[in-house]
Amino acid sequence: MSLVVAKFGGTSVADYDAMGRSADIVLANAATRIVVVSASSGVTNLLVELTQATINDERRLQLLKQIAQIQYQIVDELGRPQEIIAVLDKLLSRMAVLSEMLVLNRSKAVMDELLSLGEQCSSALFAAVLREKGAIASAFDVRRVLRTDSHFGRAEPQIEAIACLAHEHLQPFLQDQIIVTQGFIGADDEGRTTTLGRGGSDYSAALLAEALKASAVEIWTDVAGIYTTDPRLAPNARPIAEISFNEAAEMATFGAKVLHPATILPAVRQQIQVFVGSSKEPQKGGTWIRHQVEDAPVYRAVALRRDQTLLNLHSLQMLHAQGFLAETFATLARHKISVDLITTSEVNVALTLDKTGSDSSGHGLLSEALLQELSQHCRVRVEDKLALVAIIGNRIATTPGVCRRVFEVLEPHNVRMICQGASPHNLCVLVAESEAAQVVAALHQNLFEGA
Ligand code: ADP
Ligand code: ASP
Ligand code: MG
């Protein structure tokens, strides 16, 4: 039996109508047996605010009320089924208890437990919407199968354990019913709730598809596929019908929010096709991400990653010496920071840190402890308010004229760093955050909107 895993993002489960449209998409394909949902739109942001140290009691109660309103509105339209009201009541009172616990104890484990409640609410509601439409569907606690390490806020999935657990606890039930489960969350060996980082539901869907050897993963969102750039930044951006795993992975890595950066990994490992489409306008079609594609243009897309930090490390030790980079990277690794872009000169290393690599509750990567450790062997300068713009495509490093075209567009802007050459698929420039949208629009116009 071919199996499809369908994931619905926040806007696709925002309210009763959105859930209804998404349920119709599930029911239109008999192969869709696993549905992965995000929290209803806005709920995770509200939960993240609840985890912040700075909120007072009044704001805390306000946030809890706002979340309750979003979720109860859906139950109201469902005709207030008692069993769903009971589930929601339990989840929402747990939310209140955990948010209060955080006032006394700022534990990352408690934060993850709290953040997980958005997806727990939406999955219970979505299963009820499917049942209202006559389907046999139940909500399933993904923590029974999505095993991770204990790195709260940004947990690493344990692929083999997930495959075994999914085989045991999910596979046998797929024949008879549609399983609705949570994206974004998992559990460690001790059963404690973890989260995969913001936007992680895409990744969850791909991990479950890999574990169950699904034939396709569908990512249903608020845009009809992957576009040549974020359509919010360039109104003339156009959807891409088909794109390779490599290109899509580069796009996701470099900030195309439409896919969580890790989503493509499980799909590549099992050669599972990924579809991206709009749950509001499914008739518009979308983008297929495949291993092999017919078209491999030099310019495929422009991506933008905001909120970048540039670390400039200066040390005379670097001069004609060995080991400085090794020492620097070892320090970064100890602080669980993966090096992003890097350039070096005789006595300087510049590297970018990506805030999107921060954890689910928005904690940045640049801790005091890290800065202190680095300062022991070099002088550290930190620059903020930067954004990374990436031109994604094929044969970028070996096609003459690419740099000329890109630099023509960049002429009026100060480029803080350039990375090109390591990958055939991208050319990246670091610019001021305040100019980033303009740079993306200008690059898009020059590379994609010409005759
Ligand atoms: P969901 O809640 O469904 O996961 P997201 O907000 O995470 O949705 O991702 C969808 C958004 O990604 C779009 O609304 C769009 O603004 C943004 N986006 C960024 N880059 C691209 C791109 N290249 N193509 C399409 N959408 C993009
Ligand atoms: N709800 C989580 C978030 O907003 C996960 C997701 O939507 O993918 O980050
Ligand atoms: Mg998303």
Side-chain angles (χ1 to χ4, degrees), residues 7-12 38 199 202 219-223 225-232 251 255-259 301-302:
K7 176 259 171 178
F8 293 89
T11 46
S12 307
S38 292
D202 304 328
I219 305 286
W220 293 98
T221 179
D222 60 357
V223 274
I226 301 181
Y227 281 56
T228 45
T229 193
D230 186 340
R232 288 174 212 240
M251 284 186 74
K257 190 180 168 233
V258 64
L259 278 186
V302 181

Side-chain angles (χ1 to χ4, degrees), residues 197-246:
R198 292 304 304 268
S201 296
D202 304 328
Y203 191 22
S204 305
L207 287 165
L208 292 176
E210 177 183 32
L212 294 163
K213 299 197 166 35
S215 53
V217 184
E218 297 174 353
I219 305 286
W220 293 98
T221 179
D222 60 357
V223 274
I226 301 181
Y227 281 56
T228 45
T229 193
D230 186 340
R232 288 174 212 240
L233 296 174
N236 292 331
R238 12 172 235 271
I240 301 165
E242 203 189 43
I243 187 170
S244 70
F245 281 137
N246 278 337

Side-chain angles (χ1 to χ4, degrees), residues 227-389:
Y227 281 56
T228 45
T229 193
D230 186 340
R232 288 174 212 240
L233 296 174
N236 292 331
R238 12 172 235 271
I240 301 165
E242 203 189 43
I243 187 170
S244 70
F245 281 137
N246 278 337
E247 294 167 296
E250 295 269 349
M251 284 186 74
T253 303
F254 286 109
K257 190 180 168 233
V258 64
L259 278 186
H260 180 277
T263 313
I264 301 298
L265 291 172
V268 171
R269 286 193 294 257
Q270 280 290 332
Q271 304 275 307
I272 303 168
Q273 307 190 54
V274 181
F275 173 81
V276 181
S278 160
S279 66
K280 242 187 189 155
E281 301 173 297
Q283 75 287 354
K284 276 195 169 173
T287 303
W288 277 104
I289 308 172
R290 298 192 164 107
H291 182 55
Q292 293 271 333
V293 293
E294 286 191 358
D295 188 25
V298 175
Y299 303 111
R300 179 63 96 181
V302 181
L304 169 63
R305 213 164 65 180
R306 295 182 188 277
D307 221 349
Q308 304 299 292
T309 303
L310 181 68
L311 265 191
N312 206 303
L313 311 178
H314 170 89
S315 168
L316 291 178
Q317 267 182 49
M318 271 182 87
L319 207 60
H320 306 301
Q322 294 91 37
F324 176 76
L325 281 180
E327 206 175 324
T328 305
F329 287 162
T331 306
L332 293 168
R334 265 196 302 283
H335 289 262
K336 285 209 168 282
I337 290 181
S338 64
V339 176
D340 197 34
L341 297 189
I342 173 161
T343 58
T344 65
S345 79
E346 194 64 17
V347 288
N348 286 288
V349 185
L351 44 98
T352 58
L353 299 183
D354 174 20
K355 187 90 189 296
T356 45
S358 60
D359 68 19
S360 299
S361 50
H363 287 91
L365 295 167
L366 205 56
S367 63
E368 257 324 297
L370 167 65
L371 286 177
Q372 253 179 24
E373 211 173 310
L374 286 171
S375 305
Q376 280 164 14
H377 60 109
C378 58
R379 204 175 70 216
V380 185
R381 211 177 64 229
V382 181
E383 277 178 58
D384 277 321
K385 301 197 178 66
L386 294 165
L388 191 73
V389 178

